[in-house]
Amino acid sequence: MTELLTQGASIADLATAFAASPNPYLLLTPDLRIFDVNQAYLDVTRSHRPDLLGRPLFQAFDSGPGQEAPENVRQVRASLEKARDTRQRDHLALVRYSLPRRLDGCREVFEERIWSATHTPLLDAEGEVVLLLQHTMDITDLFPAAPPDEPTTALDAIVGGSVLRRAQSVQEDNRRLEKERNRLVEMFMQAPGFVAILSGPDHCFQMYNAAYGQLIGHRDIAGKPIREALPELAGQGYYEFLDSVFATGEAYEGRESLAQLQRRPGAPLENHYLDFIYQPIRDEAGQVVGIFVQGHDVTENVLAARRQKSMIDELNHRVKNTLATVQSIAIQTARSHRDPSTFAQAFQARILALSHTHDLLTRTHWEGADLRAILEHETEAFGPTRFHLNGPAVALAPATALSLGMIFHELATNASKYGALSTPHGRVLVDWGVADQTAPKLKLSWRELDGPKVTPPDTRGFGSRLIERNIRHDLAGEIDLVYGKDGLIAELMVPLDRTPAL
């Protein structure tokens, strides 16, 4: 019928040919309902047109109550569905299918018949299946009718027995092979790693699974050569690897290989690290005809390993610098405190201040700390009424946080010994803000109120040296100390876009 359509035959001509054909024909809708039948089909099935039209095929013909009936139905249904889904003609060389027959005009029995069937999809202009044409032939009479115990002649064996049994055996073998192929294809498509089959020297995509589609951004690459399907791989070596495997027949394996893929049109290239193998596919003559691609996207593992190495390197650096800081604190504290008891007290307080800031940074995985949190840590020992903190949230880099934590500890310690916190009613006001948004700087004011009059010290102690070293050297900032009648005023400016050495 499809050939007649291409030759321009009219619908009326087709309908006439369909109805008059001596071959049994049945037309089915895609959901396997009977759309039309010709007279030859009605004759061979002993049916009536009104009883069939519109009914599901396997309700009209169910192959009877026998044990083999479900398998008979399954074979016919599978062939029809294959023709519909693949849009390709499908053949059933042999299928046993029982039909009802009335005896004595009333009693119904099922008579086993042997059929050969061809199922052809009929497509519309858009290539969609609109009907399925079933052409069936009753070949029961070709089988020998001799009783089981009666030997058959050689001619019977050739014509009626062996040939047909061989045909049936071939069909069953093909059916088993198709089932196995379908299972393999299903395993292929559901494989957790990406898999693809490339055909020919141009490496055309013959098949690929969902994981491969996800890797490349679900592009339509079926049937396309790889240079057209994945043009962004040019210059990355993958075309050349495939060419080499096809030419030499030697497999190629890649480990943590960088592939830059454009997963969306117009989007930037994304880095993916892949473990993969290109395995040659050979034909019966041993010639390479394609390449089997299999692998895994190990990007997360590679990045995690790099992050871990970076963290270990960073940790080693921090530990060394922390030990150097502790050593400096110990030496400088010893110079200022000859008495072992006062040395231990001052040394322990400074180490605890360093530890507090470390705790804050650990909570954020050493990504930084908030300025207010550091101030609260260093001043909480004096109670909530002695300090007034006023300023916006300011995120500090780890090194800046460590330096400021030590500075605030020294300022608070000096205030408790000599300044506003040494009196019952003294207070400390801390105000801060961020100046110059193009090159942001932290501007902070430490102002002591209601304390004793303070004067510049005759000698610079460790606290003063630590503050000045941290501000000017470590933070590349500035500090101005004013010794007033109510207490110390410290004005400091620290750049926030600088990453000091840890």
Side-chain angles (χ1 to χ4, degrees):
M1 289 185 71
T2 54
E3 289 79 1
L4 289 174
L5 284 172
T6 60
Q7 296 171 9
S10 68
I11 299 298
D13 292 337
L14 291 175
T16 300
F18 176 79
S21 174
N23 296 312
Y25 285 115
L26 168 70
L27 282 172
L28 296 165
T29 60
D31 61 351
L32 306 186
R33 289 180 176 271
I34 298 174
F35 179 78
D36 199 2
V37 296
N38 69 353
Q39 187 58 46
Y41 190 94
L42 294 172
D43 292 341
V44 77
T45 60
R46 304 185 185 95
S47 305
H48 300 283
R49 185 184 303 274
D51 297 336
L52 299 182
L53 298 185
R55 294 183 66 188
L57 174 64
F58 300 108
Q59 185 183 97
F61 301 105
D62 61 4
S63 194
Q67 292 183 352
E68 296 182 359
E71 174 59 19
N72 299 338
V73 170
R74 188 202 64 77
Q75 290 184 40
V76 177
R77 182 189 296 275
S79 178
L80 284 165
E81 290 178 345
K82 181 179 179 181
R84 178 194 64 194
D85 297 341
T86 64
R87 295 174 172 79
Q88 299 292 325
R89 183 180 291 115
D90 191 66
H91 303 280
L92 275 175
L94 295 172
V95 61
R96 297 177 182 274
Y97 211 99
S98 298
L99 291 177
R101 179 182 178 187
R102 291 195 178 275
L103 299 178
D104 304 328
C106 59
R107 187 164 59 91
E108 184 180 75
V109 297
F110 278 84
E111 180 180 52
E112 183 180 83
R113 309 297 295 174
I114 301 174
W115 307 85
S116 180
T118 298
H119 298 131
T120 304
L122 304 182
L123 311 179
D124 61 14
E126 287 74 33
E128 297 297 325
V129 177
V130 291
L131 291 171
L132 292 165
L133 177 67
Q134 182 188 69
H135 173 214
T136 53
M137 294 182 62
D138 188 342
I139 57 174
T140 308
D141 292 340
L142 294 179
F143 278 75
D149 296 334
E150 182 178 332
T152 61
T153 66
L155 181 62
D156 289 336
I158 294 173
V159 176
S162 298
V163 171
L164 292 176
R165 280 195 293 272
R166 189 177 300 118
Q168 189 171 17
S169 176
V170 169
Q171 177 173 294
E172 291 174 353
D173 288 343
N174 288 339
R175 190 180 303 121
R176 284 193 294 270
L177 289 172
E178 184 169 0
K179 287 181 179 178
E180 188 64 28
R181 177 183 181 276
N182 291 338
R183 282 195 293 268
L184 290 173
V185 170
E186 185 177 357
M187 293 172 60
F188 176 100
M189 298 303 293
Q190 294 179 355
F194 60 81
V195 183
I197 294 178
L198 307 179
S199 179
D202 293 330
H203 319 302
C204 296
F205 281 93
Q206 185 176 356
M207 186 180 294
Y208 59 96
N209 69 347
Y212 197 100
Q214 182 178 7
L215 175 68
I216 63 172
H218 300 288
R219 282 177 271 183
D220 182 13
I221 60 173
K224 296 180 181 178
I226 193 168
R227 285 173 169 83
E228 176 187 342
L230 305 175
E232 69 271 26
L233 291 180
Q236 300 186 41
Y238 293 95
Y239 301 157
E240 293 74 16
F241 296 152
L242 290 167
D243 291 341
S244 176
V245 172
F246 194 89
T248 66
E250 296 180 2
Y252 178 84
E253 186 174 5
R255 291 290 182 185
E256 297 182 1
S257 180
L258 173 63
Q260 294 182 305
L261 297 170
Q262 187 180 42
R263 304 185 68 198
R264 296 185 308 279
L269 295 177
E270 298 180 18
N271 290 341
H272 289 265
Y273 293 90
L274 310 175
D275 283 351
F276 68 92
I277 186 169
Y278 292 158
Q279 186 74 35
I281 301 172
R282 302 178 185 273
D283 61 14
E284 294 180 355
Q287 297 297 314
V288 177
V289 295
I291 295 176
F292 181 76
V293 179
Q294 190 272 331
H296 296 271
D297 187 342
V298 294
T299 304
E300 289 300 323
N301 294 341
V302 170
L303 295 182
R306 291 185 178 180
R307 285 194 296 267
Q308 185 179 39
K309 183 179 183 303
S310 177
M311 289 177 64
I312 291 173
D313 292 344
E314 188 176 350
L315 179 61
N316 288 335
H317 185 64
R318 287 174 185 161
V319 168
K320 290 178 181 177
N321 281 286
T322 299
L323 291 174
T325 301
V326 171
Q327 183 182 31
S328 175
I329 291 172
I331 293 172
Q332 296 298 329
T333 304
R335 290 176 181 173
S336 303
H337 298 271
R338 299 297 181 183
D339 181 21
S341 61
T342 60
F343 163 78
Q345 184 178 3
F347 180 70
Q348 183 180 19
R350 286 165 177 155
I351 295 301
L352 284 175
L354 188 64
S355 173
H356 286 162
T357 310
H358 271 259
D359 288 342
L360 287 175
L361 291 170
T362 301
R363 294 174 191 172
T364 63
H365 306 286
W366 278 79
E367 293 180 359
D370 181 69
L371 174 62
R372 180 183 292 273
I374 295 174
L375 281 164
E376 289 174 347
H377 255 291
E378 299 305 332
T379 61
E380 63 182 354
F382 302 98
T385 62
R386 307 297 295 273
F387 276 87
H388 300 274
L389 308 179
N390 180 42
V394 178
L396 302 174
T400 304
L402 287 171
S403 293
L404 288 178
M406 294 297 296
I407 291 169
F408 297 147
H409 171 75
E410 294 302 325
L411 289 173
T413 300
N414 289 338
S416 67
K417 290 181 177 180
Y418 316 113
L421 299 182
S422 65
T423 64
H425 304 293
R427 296 168 296 137
V428 178
L429 304 182
V430 184
D431 295 284
W432 69 89
V434 177
D436 191 357
Q437 296 301 320
T438 57
K441 295 180 176 63
L442 171 65
K443 186 176 182 180
L444 184 140
S445 173
W446 175 288
R447 184 182 297 271
E448 299 181 14
L449 301 174
D450 299 331
K453 182 179 178 180
V454 292
T455 58
D458 296 331
T459 59
R460 294 172 66 241
F462 171 64
S464 299
R465 291 195 300 272
L466 183 145
I467 291 173
E468 185 171 342
R469 182 177 66 84
N470 279 324
I471 289 290
R472 302 189 188 282
H473 177 265
D474 293 349
L475 301 179
E478 299 175 1
I479 187 168
D480 184 22
L481 299 177
V482 178
Y483 295 89
K485 63 178 182 179
D486 286 342
L488 176 70
I489 299 174
E491 302 280 352
L492 60 91
M493 182 84 73
V494 174
L496 294 176
D497 58 354
R498 179 177 181 270
T499 304
L502 290 174

